[in-house]
Amino acid sequence: MPVEITWWGHATCALLDSNTRVLTDPLFAGRLAHLRRRRGAVPPAEARRGDVALVSHLHADHLHLPSLAALAPGTRLLVPRGAPRAVPGLRRLRQLQITEVAPGDAVRVGDLVVRAVPARHDGRRLPVGPHRSPALGYVVEGEARTYFAGDTGLFDGMAEQVGPVDVALLPVGGWGPYLGEGHLDAGRAARALARLAPRVAVPVHYGTYWPIGMDAVRPHEFHAPGDEFVRLAAAAAPQVAVHKLGHGESVRLEVAR
């Protein structure tokens, strides 16, 4: 059975594996605080359908309460341990089945097993709040083993802690002219790809949101990361097939282990 991946923009993907639909960091907004969606239409209503949604960390462009509230009642939601304490609005989403996880935890959803793995990223809900939760990646194990990195920098033992994977959804950019600590740009993502050695990679987390009024500030950081990752990945990990998707585009993969 093929595995299908759709990229809806930023870190939001839909993964269909073993007849189970997984959403990553759902964000269905045309505007978020000072950010405006500059490329790709706001995902349609059918994009909000999932059996389980994965939240990688507490930053508002990854844990977006209005988008989570738009998920169908009964949707399973995996969040970093401590997230409901740090983000009280989560506790009002009583229509969702919320499960808190930390690195090393595994949750069965249908015929899938979802493993939480470490990420190197700030786990706070900024700009306010003292509470921290671990930033996470996830490995979805079904017909394929698909790694969703969330937001992360490179870290020692990355390949060992993530484990062998067939598909990697890797962030290659951001939403502003400069990337802070704990992020992958196209070059670091290519180095991560060489460490992880999946069969397939899809670049995400670029070319969607940009600060209002800053269209002319380092615009290459908005437009270029996807193509740059394709180029650098070909040199760093030539055995990996890279699929650069447009917003709303899908790829179907026949992954034979």
Side-chain angles (χ1 to χ4, degrees), residues 38 174-180 185 188 207 209-211 213-225 228:
R38 289 189 56 207
W175 51 254
Y178 300 99
L179 281 175
D185 60 11
R188 291 191 290 271
Y209 292 92
W210 203 249
M214 297 186 68
D215 290 11
V217 179
R218 296 174 62 86
H220 63 284
E221 298 290 355
F222 178 84
H223 294 284
E228 187 176 1

Side-chain angles (χ1 to χ4, degrees), residues 53-242:
L54 312 178
V55 169
S56 62
H57 62 287
L58 305 190
H59 293 170
D61 58 321
H62 293 259
L63 194 169
H64 185 244
L65 289 171
S67 295
L68 296 179
L71 299 177
T75 302
R76 192 82 176 268
L77 178 64
L78 305 189
V79 300
R81 184 170 296 165
R85 180 179 67 158
V87 187
L90 275 174
R91 298 198 288 265
R92 293 194 288 271
L93 302 180
R94 297 184 180 89
Q95 74 277 23
L96 305 180
Q97 299 180 36
I98 299 177
T99 301
E100 301 178 48
V101 293
D105 290 344
V107 176
R108 179 168 287 279
V109 182
D111 290 329
L112 302 179
V113 173
V114 181
R115 292 192 293 112
V117 298
R120 184 188 174 198
H121 194 69
D122 188 340
R124 291 176 296 174
R125 179 73 163 183
L126 299 176
V128 297
H131 300 304
R132 288 180 178 269
S133 289
L136 304 174
Y138 293 93
V139 177
V140 179
E141 299 180 347
E143 294 291 327
R145 293 165 298 208
T146 301
Y147 171 47
F148 168 61
D151 256 349
T152 187
L154 287 168
F155 56 91
D156 292 339
M158 185 180 204
E160 293 76 16
Q161 294 190 62
V162 170
V165 293
D166 304 298
V167 183
L169 311 178
L170 291 179
V172 301
W175 51 254
Y178 300 99
L179 281 175
E181 180 71 15
H183 292 86
L184 296 179
D185 60 11
R188 291 191 290 271
R191 289 164 57 195
L193 197 65
R195 296 184 188 185
L196 296 164
R199 300 175 186 227
V200 174
V202 176
V204 301
H205 204 282
Y206 76 99
T208 307
Y209 292 92
W210 203 249
I212 294 170
M214 297 186 68
D215 290 11
V217 179
R218 296 174 62 86
H220 63 284
E221 298 290 355
F222 178 84
H223 294 284
D227 289 330
E228 187 176 1
F229 174 71
V230 171
R231 177 178 64 82
L232 295 174
Q239 77 283 7
V240 181
V242 177

